Structure formats: C-alpha cells, structure tokens
Amino acid sequence: MWRRGRSPNTTMELLFVVTLLWSEALCGSPSVQIGGLFPRGADQEYSAFRVGMVQFGMADFRLTPHIDNLEVANSFAVTNCFCSQFSRGVYAIFGFYDKKSVNTITSFCETLHVSFITPSFPAEGMNQFVLQMRPDIKGPLVSLVEYYKWEKFAYLYDSDRGLSTLQVILDTAAEKKWVVTAINVGNLKDERKDEAYRSLFQDLEIRKERRIILDCEQDKVRDIMEQVITIGRHVKGYHYIIANLGFVDGDLSKIQYGGANVSGFQIVDFDDPVVAKFDQRWEALEEKEYPGADIRIRYTSALTYDAVHVMTEAFRFLHKQRIDMSRRGNSGDCLANPAVPWAQGVEIERALKQVRVDGLTGNIQFDQYGKRINYSVTVMELKNSGPVKIGYWNEVDKMVVTKSDLYPNDTMGMENKTVIVSTILEAPYVMLKKNSELFQDNDRYEGYCVDLAAEIAKHCGIRYQLRIVGDGKYGARDAETKIWNGMVGELVYGKADIAVAPLTITLVREEVIDFSKPFMSLGISIMIKKPQKSKPGVFSFLDPLAYEIWMCIVFAYIGVSVVLFLVSRFSPYEWTLEEPEDGAMPLTTESTNEFGIFNSLWFSLGAFMRQGCDISPRSLSGRIVGGVWWFFTLIIISSYTANLAAFLTVERMVSPIESAEDLAKQSEICYGTLDSGSTKEFFRRSKIALFDKMWQYMKSAEPSVFVKKTSEGVLRVRKSKGKYAYLLESTMNEYIEQRKPCDTMKVGGNLDSKGYGIATPKGSPLRNAVNLAVLKLNEQGLLDKLKNKWWYDKGECGSGGGESKEKTSALSLSNVAGVFYILVGGLGLAMMVALVEFCYKSRAEAKKMKVAANTLSSPQHTGNYTHTLSSPQHAPNFNVLSPSHQPNYATYKEGYNVYGIESVKI
C-alpha cells in the first residue's frame, strides 16, 4: 500500500527520481519515452519495474518512463490515463488490465498503433499491438489433468480473467468424456465471500467432488485455501490444481501437513543460476526504497522485470537501425476524429515481437500475435517438506515427469525428525513433576499419557518432544468462524505431528484428523459432592426389610391367627373333654378348645419368633395352617437375618441423585460440562429426549454451567455444597474420586460409550505405526497396568477399582438402640399388664366372694351348704348344688384358661 498518506501518483514519481537522476548521468545518451499504468497495490511490480530500468539502462541508450497509477477496473480512468500517456509522446506503454478494461486498451492500441506490453492474463482474440508477457496456461493444465487421469472434477474459475481457459477445458472434456462441474467464483462479494466459499464446498462435498481446479489469481486462491483449512473437512483425500504460474508465491504452510494433494505450475525457476543471482540482488534491496523487496519476487513482478528487458532490447535495436520514431501533427490526440494512427507504431510492434531473450521467466519469444511461444513451465507438487518439482511442460515435449510420484502427498521418513507431540495438562494423564523446574523437555512431565507417549515412541522408533497446547483446549470447531481450536486445531493447521492426550474419538474430529484404535474405553458420567454419611436411626434394625414388607408381615400374622382360630372352632378334633386328676369324675360334660383367639395369636407369635409354644393344633386343618406359617416365617426370618448384618455394620450415604433422569427432573442441583469438549458436543448433538432436555437447560442456565477446565469443574462441585453436578468422562471421574480430600463420587452408570484415541493429521505417516503400537500395548496388558498405576496404586482414598466401596465398622449403640427401647418398653408393658390383671382379678374375686356370702346367708341354701362343708368326705354330694351355678363355674374356668393357667378346683 502507498505510505504516509501520499497519493499513488506522487509516490511513484518521487520513487522514480533515482532512475531519472541515473539516466541524466549517462552523458546525454538518447532516451525513449514509455508509459507505465500500474494498479493500486502493485508495489512489488513497480519496484521490479524500477529495478529493470536501472538494470538494463546503457550509456548509449535509455528508457524514460511516465508512470500513472489507477484503478484498472475503471474504464473511464483507463481511457483518461491512456490518452494522457499518448499525448506525452510515449512510444509504447507497459501496464495491467482486467476483464472490464481489456477491451478499452486493445481498442486504443489497434486504432492508434501503440504497442501495449502486459503481464496480465492473456487476452482473447488476435490483438496485433498487445504483447502478452504471461504464457498461456491452457496447454500445461490439460496435460496435467491427463497425467493424473482425472475424469471427473470441479473447475473453479475467475470470470475476470476471461473464459478462454474454461472453453478449452470444456472442449477437451467433451472430446475425452470428462465430467466437469464449472463454477464461477469471480462475482463473490468481499463482505460475504467466506460464507459463500463455505457454502460452495458444502455443495462440492454433497456432489462428492474431491478433485478441484482453481483457475484464479493468487489472492483469490489464498482466500479459498484459507476456507479449506478453516472448514477442515476438504483436506484429506482432496486434490487441488492451482491454475496459475506462481505456485510458490502463496502461503501453503497451513495446508502442507493437512493431507491434501496440491499441484500447480511455476514460471520462475529459482534453481536457475540467472534467477538465483537476481534473487540475491533483490534480497539486498532496501524495503523502504523498493516496497515489496522484503519477500521473494512474485511471478507477476518477474514478468514486469522481463517486460522492461524486452522493451529495452526492442528500442535499442530500432536505435541501432536509425529508424525515425518522431511524433508529428495531431498524433498526440487519441480522441481525434478521425483517429490518426502513429506511422512508426508498426515498426515498434515488429521490433518488440522479434525480441528473443532469456529472463526470469525463461525463454522469452513471441509469435505474430504477441503471445509467448517456446516457453517452459515447471510442474510442482506440495509435500510435507514443501513444494517439490515433479516435471516440466513445454510446447514440444508436453508433459515430462522427472520425478514419478503417483501419491503426491506421501510423506518422508520420520527417523531423523523430532516429532512434536501435542498434549494437555490434565491429571493423571499429563502433570508437572513437583520439581519440574529442575528438569528439561520431556522429563518435566509425568502421567499416564507421558508413559504412553514413551512406549509408542519406543515401538515406532521416533524422537519426540512434548508440547502443551497453547489454549488449554481439547479441540472444537467454532460455530461461526469454523476454525478449530485446541489440540485438534494444532493438528489440522500443521503445528503438531501427533496428539497423545485424553482426546475423545468423535465423528466431527474424525473428519479432519485421524485417530488410532482406542487406548481407553469410557463414557460420560456424573460427579457430585459426596453426601454426609447418614446416622443410623433408632429403629435401623427394621431397615433390612422395606416398610411394605413389615406391614404385610403384621397383616399376615393377624390373618393366620384368625384362620387358626376359625379352623379350630370348626374342626371337631380340637374340642376335648377335660380329664380330672386321680381318676376323679369329670366336673362337666362340656368340651373345651385350647385355640381361643388369644391362644391363636400367642401360637403365631411364638412360631414367628422361632420359640415355639406349649400348645399345638391337633386337627389336620390346624396343622396345615401351622405348617404354612412355619414355612413363611422360615423364609422371612432367614432373609431378614441375612440382610441385618450388612445394614447394621455398613455406613451408608444417601445420594440426592442416582441417574441422569434424576438430574433432568429436578431444578435444585445445577449441572454442566467442559466447554469446547466432546461431552458438550454429545449433549448438543443428541436426539434423545432426556439428553436434549438437559442440553436446553445447560445452554440457557444463568450463571453459565460450563467450565473452561476440568479442575474448575471439580472445584465447583466441591464448593457448591451439593448444588452442582459435573458431567465428565468416567475415567477422570474415577481418578478424582481417589484423590484427597475424597469428597466427590460417581453416581449412576455411563450415559454413553466411547474411547480415547491418539490423533494424527490426515495422511500422516505415523498413523499406521501408532495404530499398531496401541494394539500391541493392549495385547501385552500394558495399558491396564498403566491405568492401575496412575488411578489406584497411587490412590489417596483407600482401595478403588472404579466403584466407591462402603466401609465396614463395629456396631455402635446407635445401631441397636431400638432393640433396647423395645426390650425396656416390653418389660414396662408387662408390668403394667400384670398390675391390670391383679386389679382385675382382685375385683372379680371380691365380687365372687360377696355373691357366695349372699348365697350362704339365704335360708333355702343353708342346709345344703352346711352339709357339704361339714361332710367333706362326701365329695360326690357336691353335685347337689343347683344347676344354675354350674354354667358360672364353666365360664369362670374357660375365662381363666385363656391365660394358659390350669383350672382350679373348688
């Protein structure tokens, strides 16, 4: 760009002072006026023009230029400048044009017979007074497509360069039955070009177009290749041909390691001695005086330099031939009507076309139409080591391959190269040693991936250097810019050769980089703060069986007792006569039944408590009831006993959540993931309703639930007092669970299944070797040993293994306090019941004695009662009591029997 705010014309005129002063120092040597039309921004081309003026000027002859700077796309500006140059009496004009101004310039040249020398793209048609310094690329391009045996490809062209090359490609395609998809990229607006390029390559991907020709100028090629690198999916397996003559002019470093095959043409051979000598002088120029001299000369600048050489040789020849080139009359007015052509214009045109010189662009020779002939173009391919010559093209031999290589991007051996291994500081994969400042390079780190990288390097026979990723991210693609960050970005953009880290294998990553076989399997898990251990309740001995089971047991107990009572009443085998002692006569002829309602309850309770009872059923039906009840109690008591030990001796923790479903259906506990990671990508892309619901919550949560680093997420879990859950890979969750302060835990199962892999750029020669190394390490069991070493052998929270084990301890009083409460309560209840029984019995006996006293005092019963009392030896006469007293006696006896005590004889 023009510097210090000066206008382009003023700047060029000031810069030309050096040339003018040098020319005046040549002792008045004859000079030829020539014009120069340079577009804005062509700093290097103008510097090359000035260098050529100085280089080819002689003591006996010199060129005097008149320079104009303009916008070549503006036809009015081109007309104004051309007429201005013509009015100054120039003999020829050097300059540039584009699609919009080419017809204006060629029309003026044909009308006024003024020769125009240009390095711009070859104009269509036969233009007698236009000399094309740039060779035609149609022949080399068709030959290269035939060499690669392409039969289907996309052709991206810039319409500003004309359509002649496209026409030749389409004609050849029709002849050879090629399938060509032609796309015009010349009309894209600058403000939306990035979006347009991304859309274009998405369409090419849908069409499965992996072979692409870029027929554009270098700046547009640069824009397209930047989008290819940014998108990252159109590299591996793609082949690009850059259809211009400056293959090495563009910056191909970013795509150099991406795995894409890139071919092109180079008109300037920097290995040529003439070019090498000029290159040394060019690098020695001061950039302030010669803008653009700080970088290697571009092919358009080389064509400009050669154009000065051609004009100098032509006018020197005319000068030696003493041809009159004076301007007369109104020949200085380009707009005269009718137009007056310059009489000597034809002589100058012929002299220019007869020039034959060797320049920076090789042999320079023109045909009768001003087009380059007998030129040679170098064919280039991009390797990991940089651009490499594979052959050349000329009009006689056509395509000549000097270095056969059917696989253009095959890489060279890695034995003598230090491989850059990208990784990330993440415990226990990669950690700094305690005294890391005392060590250098790889010795500063330790961890699972450090050991794994050493083993892989040993199997692959390579030297390597660990390098921590700059942004501390694993790798994700920005939704707007489509640029990859993290370790994936370093691989895509050629900053690293391999990534050994806990890098999850995903589809979007696999599209831009290659993964090895998984060296570790895992899944997304939930980390929460470990809840406080619950204190055992007073009735914790009831915990082995659920509340519902205890209720069913109570109802079963009551139901069995009632059924036993009923079947005992219905069965005649349960009714018996009481047998008196010592062969005495029975006091009554009525039958008795031992299984009253209270005795049935007592029998069932004794059987349930495994203590038995002093009565048992006599009937078959009663024994069936007793048998099934005994079987029932056997199973229940055995199950209870089996669980009781575990419930009383294991300290348990009550977790507020147990699964992802619990997380999703509550709002009290927040949950989030690592930003720019595969876990976040999993939820964002998931179509499962549960995970989509969780993603909608995480995306809209305020404050943000995403964290930049795993350590930040773990710290948030520990400080949240149970109000934050962190979603991360299960392996990292298990590791942190084994680290002090031992206050986190993994809950639930894994939400998905995936694996960690070692990543390499697309097309890397390390891919197969790394893949085989991982398989070998897995078969040898070394991967499992490494995991045990860094997860559990160095654990700080006791023995691990992936699951949180509960701690067994001795029983405390709080574990069995309920049993003592029941014992004390039962004893207290027994004392109260005994007191009630005593009071009740005493009251009943008092009433009975009072009734008996009243009976004895009555006259009608005095004799009998006295006789009975006075004659105890006549016991049988006891039956002379009135029958009305016998039922009372039986009732009393039965009522007393319900407590399990034998009847008392009166």
Side-chain angles (χ1 to χ4, degrees):
M1 298 297 296
W2 306 112
R3 304 166 63 236
R4 294 188 178 90
R6 291 175 177 166
S7 67
N9 291 335
T10 304
T11 303
M12 286 192 171
E13 290 174 359
L14 290 175
L15 290 175
F16 188 69
V17 169
V18 177
T19 304
L20 187 58
L21 292 176
W22 179 87
S23 300
E24 292 176 352
L26 294 178
C27 304
S29 58
S31 64
V32 175
Q33 305 293 321
I34 62 171
L37 303 179
F38 286 86
R40 293 186 175 92
D43 292 355
Q44 192 186 72
E45 285 76 7
Y46 179 64
S47 296
F49 183 84
R50 292 173 53 219
V51 171
M53 286 290 179
V54 176
Q55 179 70 27
F56 301 114
M58 296 295 180
D60 60 339
F61 180 80
R62 61 187 174 86
L63 298 178
T64 303
H66 298 277
I67 306 301
D68 281 319
N69 182 259
L70 71 160
E71 182 63 49
V72 295
N74 188 336
S75 298
F76 178 79
V78 170
T79 300
N80 188 33
C81 290
F82 191 95
C83 291
S84 175
Q85 296 278 4
F86 187 73
S87 64
R88 293 175 185 175
V90 298
Y91 294 88
I93 299 177
F94 170 87
F96 294 80
Y97 57 71
D98 71 352
K99 180 184 178 181
K100 296 180 179 179
S101 59
V102 61
N103 293 331
T104 301
I105 290 178
T106 56
S107 176
F108 274 120
C109 292
E110 292 292 334
T111 303
L112 301 175
H113 291 185
V114 176
S115 296
F116 188 81
I117 302 92
T118 178
S120 297
F121 62 89
E124 301 176 11
M126 305 302 177
N127 302 298
Q128 179 182 355
F129 290 91
V130 178
L131 268 73
Q132 308 284 351
M133 292 300 301
R134 184 184 303 191
D136 202 334
I137 202 172
K138 302 183 187 71
L141 182 59
V142 172
S143 297
L144 188 59
V145 172
E146 292 176 345
Y147 168 71
Y148 287 133
K149 299 180 180 179
W150 286 11
E151 295 182 352
K152 181 177 182 293
F153 56 90
Y155 185 87
L156 277 57
Y157 65 96
D158 186 352
S159 57
D160 291 342
R161 297 175 50 171
L163 304 176
S164 59
T165 306
L166 172 62
Q167 188 61 50
V168 171
I169 290 293
L170 295 178
D171 292 343
T172 308
E175 178 184 348
K176 297 183 178 293
K177 297 182 179 179
W178 294 345
V179 179
V180 180
T181 302
I183 302 173
N184 182 10
V185 296
N187 298 325
L188 300 180
K189 296 182 179 180
D190 291 341
E191 61 272 12
R192 300 190 62 183
K193 64 181 180 181
D194 292 347
E195 180 182 351
Y197 286 142
R198 286 195 289 268
S199 177
L200 168 63
F201 277 96
Q202 289 177 358
D203 293 340
L204 293 178
E205 186 176 6
I206 295 174
R207 298 178 182 179
K208 297 182 179 181
E209 295 285 0
R210 294 181 174 268
R211 296 171 176 176
I212 302 170
I213 296 177
L214 302 177
D215 183 13
C216 312
E217 291 296 344
Q218 200 61 46
D219 56 346
K220 198 172 292 287
V221 171
R222 182 179 62 253
D223 293 340
I224 294 175
M225 298 310 291
E226 285 181 355
Q227 290 303 315
V228 169
I229 296 169
T230 300
I231 298 172
R233 293 191 299 182
H234 307 95
V235 182
K236 177 64 176 177
Y238 282 74
H239 193 164
Y240 298 90
I241 294 179
I242 301 176
N244 60 45
L245 299 174
F247 184 76
V248 301
D249 293 351
D251 182 12
L252 300 175
S253 59
K254 291 185 178 180
I255 202 172
Q256 183 171 338
Y257 303 98
N261 299 322
V262 184
S263 306
F265 309 97
Q266 182 68 26
I267 190 65
V268 181
D269 185 3
F270 288 95
D271 294 333
D272 185 89
V274 176
V275 178
K277 185 177 181 180
F278 171 84
D279 197 37
Q280 292 178 354
R281 294 199 304 267
W282 178 261
E283 292 178 356
L285 295 176
E286 181 64 30
E287 196 273 336
K288 293 183 179 179
E289 184 177 356
Y290 293 91
D294 56 328
I295 59 175
R296 175 176 280 187
I297 190 169
R298 294 189 292 265
Y299 83 99
T300 51
S301 301
L303 292 172
T304 301
Y305 179 85
D306 287 346
V308 177
H309 192 183
V310 169
M311 288 188 294
T312 303
E313 291 296 327
F315 285 110
R316 181 182 288 116
F317 171 78
L318 292 174
H319 178 68
K320 288 181 179 180
Q321 298 297 322
R322 300 183 180 277
I323 297 177
D324 182 17
M325 296 182 294
S326 60
R327 303 281 294 274
R328 300 181 181 87
N330 62 349
S331 58
D333 185 5
C334 69
L335 300 178
N337 189 11
V340 180
W342 185 17
Q344 286 75 24
V346 176
E347 294 291 340
I348 296 176
E349 174 255 333
R350 291 175 181 174
L352 289 169
K353 292 179 179 179
Q354 291 175 0
V355 173
R356 290 190 180 184
V357 293
D358 288 329
L360 299 182
T361 58
N363 178 59
I364 301 175
Q365 188 176 349
F366 303 93
D367 63 8
Q368 59 180 339
Y369 302 108
K371 298 183 182 298
R372 287 276 295 267
I373 58 175
N374 297 331
Y375 59 92
S376 179
V377 175
T378 304
V379 182
M380 310 288 291
E381 285 182 349
L382 184 63
K383 308 288 186 180
N384 271 5
S385 57
V388 176
K389 300 178 183 178
I390 66 164
Y392 63 89
W393 184 95
N394 59 40
E395 294 177 326
V396 177
D397 301 324
K398 302 301 181 182
M399 181 77 179
V400 177
V401 178
T402 58
K403 184 177 181 180
S404 180
D405 191 354
L406 294 179
Y407 302 95
N409 206 47
D410 277 352
T411 51
M412 301 175 64
M414 307 292 290
E415 293 81 2
N416 298 322
K417 178 184 177 182
T418 299
V419 176
I420 302 301
V421 178
S422 179
T423 188
I424 189 171
L425 284 176
E426 192 79 80
Y429 301 98
V430 179
M431 302 173 288
L432 284 171
K433 292 181 178 179
K434 293 183 179 179
N435 299 323
S436 60
E437 64 276 1
L438 302 178
F439 301 93
Q440 293 181 349
D441 299 331
N442 300 341
D443 296 333
R444 299 172 57 234
Y445 306 102
E446 64 177 355
Y448 179 92
C449 286
V450 176
D451 293 347
L452 179 60
E455 292 292 335
I456 290 175
K458 185 189 302 182
H459 283 77
C460 297
I462 58 175
R463 294 178 302 173
Y464 70 98
Q465 178 182 354
L466 292 175
R467 180 181 296 173
I468 305 301
V469 62
D471 57 8
K473 296 182 179 180
Y474 288 90
R477 185 169 54 191
D478 189 272
E480 296 181 359
T481 63
K482 304 299 182 180
I483 296 177
W484 284 91
N485 57 23
M487 291 179 286
V488 178
E490 291 196 345
L491 294 176
V492 170
Y493 305 131
K495 297 180 181 179
D497 301 307
I498 186 173
V500 182
L503 194 60
T504 308
I505 303 173
T506 62
L507 174 62
V508 291
R509 289 174 178 170
E510 186 71 42
E511 290 177 344
V512 296
I513 58 177
D514 287 332
F515 279 101
S516 68
K517 298 295 183 182
F519 63 82
M520 185 179 293
S521 298
L522 62 144
I524 297 175
S525 62
I526 305 172
M527 173 191 289
I528 64 170
K529 184 175 177 60
K530 188 177 294 184
Q532 297 294 330
K533 296 176 181 178
S534 59
K535 295 182 180 180
V538 174
F539 297 100
S540 59
F541 64 89
L542 298 176
D543 292 341
L545 298 180
Y547 171 79
E548 294 82 1
I549 296 180
W550 285 116
M551 294 302 300
C552 291
I553 290 175
V554 171
F555 287 124
Y557 164 70
I558 296 173
V560 168
S561 300
V562 171
V563 171
L564 183 60
F565 170 75
L566 294 176
V567 298
S568 297
R569 289 294 172 182
F570 287 122
S571 176
Y573 298 102
E574 294 292 346
W575 294 89
T576 59
L577 292 173
E578 182 181 1
E579 297 181 359
E581 297 179 354
D582 300 330
M585 295 297 292
L587 297 178
T588 178
T589 59
E590 291 186 4
S591 299
T592 60
N593 193 324
E594 293 180 334
F595 283 95
I597 187 62
F598 289 103
N599 276 358
S600 298
L601 292 170
W602 178 250
F603 173 82
S604 300
L605 182 62
F608 185 78
M609 295 297 180
R610 311 292 290 275
Q611 299 301 317
C613 185
D614 54 351
I615 59 176
S616 60
R618 298 179 180 179
S619 64
L620 178 61
S621 58
R623 291 177 177 178
I624 292 175
V625 174
V628 296
W629 176 244
W630 289 342
F631 176 78
F632 173 81
T633 57
L634 173 67
I635 302 300
I636 293 296
I637 298 302
S638 299
S639 301
Y640 173 80
T641 305
N643 288 337
L644 181 62
F647 273 82
L648 293 183
T649 60
V650 174
E651 296 178 341
R652 294 186 173 272
M653 294 176 293
V654 179
S655 174
I657 57 172
E658 294 293 344
S659 63
E661 289 82 357
D662 295 341
L663 270 181
K665 67 184 179 183
Q666 57 82 45
S667 57
E668 183 178 357
I669 300 176
C670 302
Y671 50 92
T673 69
L674 178 70
D675 201 4
S676 297
S678 61
T679 303
K680 179 181 178 182
E681 196 70 14
F682 166 79
F683 283 100
R684 190 177 70 85
R685 292 177 172 270
S686 178
K687 302 300 182 183
I688 300 175
L690 172 64
F691 299 148
D692 182 64
K693 179 181 178 182
M694 296 176 68
W695 168 248
Q696 296 301 326
Y697 163 78
M698 290 187 287
K699 183 174 64 173
S700 59
E702 290 293 340
S704 176
V705 294
F706 299 109
V707 294
K708 295 182 179 179
K709 294 183 179 180
T710 299
S711 57
E712 181 183 339
V714 175
L715 185 62
R716 188 168 177 179
V717 169
R718 286 172 171 165
K719 291 186 176 181
S720 64
K721 298 181 180 180
K723 300 302 181 183
Y724 181 78
Y726 184 47
L727 300 164
L728 74 167
E729 280 81 1
S730 57
T731 50
M732 182 60 66
N733 199 347
E734 294 165 3
Y735 172 76
I736 295 173
E737 189 175 354
Q738 295 297 315
R739 301 289 104 185
K740 289 183 179 179
C742 307
D743 57 352
T744 64
M745 63 180 293
K746 173 187 174 184
V747 294
N750 294 341
L751 307 188
D752 67 343
S753 179
K754 52 191 175 184
Y756 288 151
I758 299 174
T760 55
K762 287 288 188 181
S764 172
L766 291 171
R767 180 187 179 187
N768 291 334
V770 169
N771 211 22
L772 294 175
V774 171
L775 292 175
K776 187 174 182 180
L777 293 175
N778 188 33
E779 292 177 356
Q780 293 176 348
L782 186 59
L783 296 180
D784 292 333
K785 290 181 181 179
L786 287 178
K787 183 172 182 182
N788 289 329
K789 172 185 175 182
W790 291 102
W791 264 256
Y792 309 120
D793 295 348
K794 296 187 178 184
E796 300 172 349
C797 302
S799 60
E803 296 291 338
S804 178
K805 293 193 174 181
E806 286 144 339
K807 187 177 180 181
T808 302
S809 59
L811 291 178
S812 62
L813 180 61
S814 59
N815 294 106
V816 293
V819 179
F820 287 93
Y821 291 157
I822 291 179
L823 175 61
V824 173
L827 295 178
L829 180 63
M831 295 296 294
M832 292 179 61
V833 172
L835 180 60
V836 171
E837 285 182 333
F838 176 78
C839 295
Y840 176 79
K841 182 62 178 176
S842 298
R843 184 179 181 85
E845 286 292 331
K847 288 183 178 181
K848 182 174 176 58
M849 294 300 295
K850 185 177 180 179
V851 171
N854 292 335
T855 303
L856 291 175
S857 63
S858 62
Q860 59 271 27
H861 294 96
T862 304
N864 292 337
Y865 189 73
T866 303
H867 175 76
T868 303
L869 293 176
S870 61
S871 305
Q873 66 273 17
H874 299 96
N877 294 331
F878 182 78
N879 290 329
V880 299
L881 291 174
S882 63
S884 60
H885 292 271
Q886 294 178 6
N888 293 333
Y889 174 75
T891 303
Y892 169 72
K893 177 177 181 254
E894 175 63 19
Y896 199 64
N897 244 352
V898 298
Y899 297 100
I901 304 176
E902 294 183 355
S903 59
V904 179
K905 296 181 180 179
I906 300 178

